Amino acid sequence: MYQTPSLGRSDDSAVDSSSVPGTPSDMSMFAQAYSIPADSMDMGALPERVGTPQPSRHHIALPDILHPETASSVPIRTICCIGAGYVGGPTAAVIALHNPHIRVVVVDRDQRRIDAWKSRHLPIHEPGLEDVVRIARDGAAETRRRGDSPTRHTMDAARQPNLFFSTACIETIEVADMCLISVNTPTKTRGVGAGRATDMAALEGACRDIAMHAKAGCILVEKSTVPCKTGQLIKDIMEAHRPGVVFPVLSNPEFLSEGTAIRDLMQPDRVVIGCESTISGHRAAAALANLYAAWVPRSRIAPIGIWSSELCKLAANAMLAQRISSINSISAICERTDADVGEIAKSIGLDPRIGPQFLKAGLGFGGSCFRKDIASLTYLAESLGLPEVAAYWQQVLTMNDFQRDRFAGHVIATLNNSLRGKKVAILGYAFKKNTGDARESPALDVIRILLEEGPKSITIYDPLCSEADIKRELSVLERDYAVSMPDGPVEVVPDPYAACGNSNAVLILTDWDMFKNGKPVTQSSKPVTIAETYDGATPTDVLHLTPRIERVTINKPPTPPRTPKLSPLAPELNTRLLPEPPCPADCVVCRSSSSAGMSVETDTTTPIDWAHISKTVREPRWVFDGRGVLDARAMVGMGFRLETLGRASMY
């Protein structure tokens, strides 16, 4: 039978307490293993195998986590998801979609964010998310559907809403059978471990609220990315506020990629559930497994130890980031040897032991995960007395920074080592395509270096990132001088042609399809259903996805930005949908859309007209491709001088 580690004392523990690493009275095991720098630790006081479950003296059969009946005594009627961000919102929506008998409530203290989730203008921009939210949040009416023959009809029962959003955190926790903790865990900016350690303040606060208000037996599920041994921290908090009360703690890390989050949730390659080796722990894990089994095959649900579950998310992101830094290091060699990094990536990607994923040379990784998780991993290694391990993973971050610095330095050197009186156009600010997330973008580091040369202006265009989000990210650069207009040189514009006009250089910093100079991506006219798109037990009559282009404004994008809608509900399902909640009279999004002037139907896959841009930029028409999206021969044919990362300069 599968065995998992125990977090500590429990009413039905299958592990003798003497076999579990002890917790000093003045410091939790979490603090020993993570929070204290290695140079100030008494390494002799640490167990020989920190974080590794010790063998149990008494082995008893624990219930099978993947058996549906294991959780028969653990009914789940209400789920509270704490945190309405990029993880909590989409995850809760998909769980609610596939479990209509369960009430799912997403809570957050940010009233504006909750209001956005309740409206028709969601705060998260993911393809397919609006469809999922609309079904689960608004419900569907009863309707008659034609059967196999013209005389037979099937009645589709009405679906009641079971997804709710609220700021009533305490009231929701009080009635919840399961709490998903999806709060932000950023990198600390001050104090011990600043710049590397994980800031656990929000998670600790959520756990205290649960400890003080949740009913006994409520299952706690870690969804946030946390350092190893966080489960012990949670147990310590619960024991401090509710001694003797059992609260099973599970680890269920998310493996979502922005831009494909709904696809990742609908069709996961694995669902990792970490639990403690107790009867209550296994039953709690089985209850969570049953929720996922509503649409995920049980063969893809992986029960593992809680420490392994917590660490596997950090390890997975570190491995992916390592591949990016590895191919970027090769790109630097290619530029000195006339080799082509694209050809190299293609050839080594054909090796089945390596594969083609994450071998695209560029400006390096960005976003809110990779850098944060590797920094957390290096700090964890140092805290455990493993400086060599920390140095190994630190080099992944060093190479990432080197790639951005090298690219920006090459731009400056090509423009005669001076940007005085010159305009630089930047196409793309988001850290990757198909997302409006401006956090931790490589563009920020490139702009920082360019600003040091005193350019006349830097104009930024991105199809989804809002002007407010970009300016908020750029505000960290405002130390000695202003950055954004009117006092600074940086301006965010809603039109790529306005951004490039009269510029001395054009920089491509995001791999949006619209920046490619190839043929436009064609959309099939055949309706695509969820069953054709996603695996699992998704009923085909829940969501029908039909390619369609949403109206977006080219000369004044709405705020917040909206992902082009490529998968709305099919017309026959519209009759089942209940009306969307009306927007208030002062809705910013509606007001900006109605007063934007001329709008055209467009999406992020329609290529821009590079031939037109070639007539508006200044000679010698420099273009610096930081993402490898442009065809060199075509660009040179239009009169551009193209410099591409990973390829030797032609000039």
Side-chain angles (χ1 to χ4, degrees):
M1 183 60 62
Y2 182 80
Q3 297 288 322
T4 49
S6 174
L7 287 173
R9 184 173 65 83
S10 179
D11 60 333
D12 54 3
S13 176
V15 181
D16 190 281
S17 61
S18 62
S19 66
V20 182
T23 301
S25 59
D26 61 337
M27 186 184 304
S28 68
M29 176 59 71
F30 174 85
Q32 283 194 15
Y34 184 74
S35 295
I36 304 179
D39 57 358
S40 63
M41 294 179 64
D42 179 9
M43 299 309 298
L46 284 173
E48 292 183 1
R49 301 172 66 195
V50 175
T52 302
Q54 303 299 314
S56 173
R57 295 182 180 179
H58 307 288
H59 293 280
I60 66 173
L62 293 174
D64 185 1
I65 293 174
L66 296 181
H67 195 286
E69 296 301 320
T70 299
S72 59
S73 62
V74 188
I76 303 297
R77 303 181 184 89
T78 302
I79 296 175
C80 172
C81 180
I82 304 176
Y86 279 88
V87 175
T91 300
V94 172
I95 290 177
L97 173 70
H98 294 287
N99 295 272
H101 60 288
I102 295 177
R103 179 183 176 89
V104 181
V105 185
V106 182
V107 297
D108 199 293
R109 299 189 188 280
D110 188 339
Q111 184 67 58
R112 293 174 58 186
R113 179 174 290 269
I114 291 297
D115 290 343
W117 278 110
K118 291 180 177 180
S119 73
R120 61 180 65 190
H121 310 299
L122 304 184
I124 305 299
H125 316 290
E126 286 288 339
L129 176 60
E130 184 176 346
D131 302 324
V132 174
V133 170
R134 192 172 178 191
I135 287 284
R137 182 195 65 188
D138 303 334
E142 183 182 56
T143 187
R144 183 189 298 266
R145 179 160 48 92
R146 179 173 296 179
D148 298 334
S149 65
T151 59
R152 284 188 177 181
H153 294 83
T154 303
M155 291 300 296
D156 289 326
R159 175 186 171 118
Q160 297 301 316
N162 69 317
L163 175 64
F164 307 92
F165 299 91
S166 174
T167 56
C169 301
I170 302 304
E171 294 82 351
T172 306
I173 291 173
E174 289 176 340
V175 299
D177 302 300
M178 177 182 288
C179 288
L180 308 181
I181 305 175
S182 304
V183 297
N184 191 24
T185 52
T187 301
K188 290 181 65 176
T189 58
R190 58 190 300 180
V192 177
R196 293 184 300 162
T198 302
D199 188 345
M200 306 290 286
L203 185 137
E204 290 183 27
C207 290
R208 282 193 296 268
D209 287 342
I210 296 173
M212 291 187 292
H213 301 285
K215 57 187 178 182
C218 178
I219 301 171
L220 279 65
V221 183
E222 302 171 4
K223 292 296 296 182
S224 302
T225 302
V226 294
C228 190
K229 305 293 286 188
T230 298
Q232 186 62 58
L233 170 67
I234 296 175
K235 272 287 186 180
D236 291 344
I237 294 175
M238 306 306 288
E239 182 68 17
H241 290 85
R242 302 276 289 278
V245 180
V246 177
F247 291 97
V249 178
L250 305 177
S251 172
N252 179 217
E254 52 84 16
F255 298 97
L256 308 180
S257 178
E258 290 192 38
T260 60
I262 296 301
R263 182 181 297 274
D264 296 338
L265 285 165
M266 289 283 198
Q267 189 182 354
D269 46 19
R270 81 281 199 197
V271 174
V272 175
I273 300 177
C275 69
E276 52 185 325
S277 58
T278 63
I279 294 176
S280 63
H282 274 232
R283 287 175 176 169
L288 182 59
N290 285 346
L291 293 179
Y292 282 108
W295 78 96
V296 179
R298 289 186 182 269
S299 60
R300 296 189 185 182
I301 300 176
I304 63 176
I306 189 168
W307 309 144
S308 300
S309 179
E310 291 175 343
L311 188 55
C312 75
K313 174 60 186 298
L314 297 181
N317 279 349
M319 293 288 186
L320 295 175
Q322 179 194 49
R323 289 173 65 94
I324 296 174
S325 286
S326 294
I327 195 63
N328 281 342
S329 70
I330 300 300
S331 72
I333 298 177
C334 288
E335 293 176 16
R336 302 288 181 90
T337 60
D338 289 339
D340 189 322
V341 71
E343 296 175 346
I344 293 175
K346 181 179 179 180
S347 62
I348 65 177
L350 295 175
D351 189 330
R353 299 169 300 174
I354 299 175
Q357 299 298 321
F358 285 81
L359 290 181
K360 179 73 172 178
L363 293 172
F365 49 83
S368 61
C369 293
F370 280 5
R371 188 199 176 281
K372 173 178 74 74
D373 292 351
I374 295 178
S376 178
L377 188 61
T378 60
Y379 188 69
L380 173 62
E382 285 189 2
S383 300
L384 296 174
L386 301 170
E388 294 83 3
V389 175
Y392 176 84
W393 290 111
Q394 180 60 42
Q395 187 59 30
V396 174
L397 296 178
T398 300
M399 179 56 61
N400 199 55
D401 294 338
F402 168 72
Q403 189 78 343
R404 302 173 187 183
D405 295 347
R406 192 169 64 85
F407 176 81
H410 180 63
V411 172
I412 295 171
T414 304
L415 297 178
N416 301 319
N417 290 309
S418 176
L419 298 183
R420 296 287 181 182
K422 298 174 182 177
K423 175 185 177 181
V424 177
I426 292 179
L427 297 183
Y429 189 91
F431 77 96
K432 62 182 291 189
K433 68 177 182 179
N434 296 331
T435 180
D437 192 355
R439 296 175 297 173
E440 296 287 341
S441 171
L444 180 64
D445 289 327
V446 173
I447 294 172
R448 172 181 54 81
I449 297 173
L450 297 180
L451 285 174
E452 294 175 356
E453 297 297 324
K456 178 181 179 181
S457 67
I458 297 177
T459 53
I460 303 171
Y461 167 77
D462 190 280
L464 288 186
C465 287
S466 70
E467 180 178 357
D469 288 343
I470 294 176
K471 288 185 175 181
R472 182 173 60 250
E473 291 296 307
L474 293 175
S475 64
V476 300
L477 304 178
E478 295 182 341
R479 297 175 181 174
D480 300 326
Y481 47 81
V483 172
S484 299
M485 287 189 174
D487 300 322
V490 179
E491 181 182 12
V492 181
V493 298
D495 181 12
Y497 303 105
C500 296
N502 203 36
S503 63
N504 298 90
V506 178
L507 280 57
I508 298 180
L509 303 188
T510 307
D511 57 335
W512 289 105
D513 291 336
M514 67 184 300
F515 299 152
K516 297 178 181 179
N517 58 336
K519 296 180 180 179
V521 179
T522 59
Q523 298 286 352
S524 171
S525 58
K526 176 186 175 182
V528 180
T529 66
I530 277 285
E532 295 170 335
T533 308
Y534 304 116
D535 292 339
T538 307
T540 57
D541 62 338
V542 173
L543 292 175
H544 293 266
L545 306 183
T546 305
R548 191 185 73 185
I549 298 174
E550 184 185 70
R551 279 188 173 272
V552 296
T553 303
I554 200 68
N555 61 339
K556 186 176 181 182
T559 303
R562 300 296 302 271
T563 301
K565 190 175 177 66
L566 302 178
S567 57
L569 298 174
E572 63 268 20
L573 191 57
N574 288 334
T575 57
R576 293 195 61 199
L577 289 174
L578 299 177
E580 287 188 279
C583 288
D586 59 346
C587 177
V588 176
V589 180
C590 294
R591 187 171 63 248
S592 62
S593 298
S594 61
S595 61
M598 181 180 179
S599 64
V600 298
E601 289 191 354
T602 186
D603 71 341
T604 57
T605 63
T606 302
I608 60 177
D609 187 352
W610 282 103
H612 174 73
I613 292 176
S614 68
K615 301 175 183 178
T616 63
V617 297
R618 291 189 175 186
E619 296 285 353
R621 302 173 184 168
W622 284 111
V623 175
F624 297 86
D625 185 2
R627 294 295 186 176
V629 299
L630 295 175
D631 179 73
R633 180 173 298 181
M635 294 297 288
V636 172
M638 287 183 282
F640 289 105
R641 289 192 177 186
L642 178 66
E643 295 282 77
T644 304
L645 264 178
R647 297 175 187 169
S649 175
M650 295 184 293
Y651 309 100

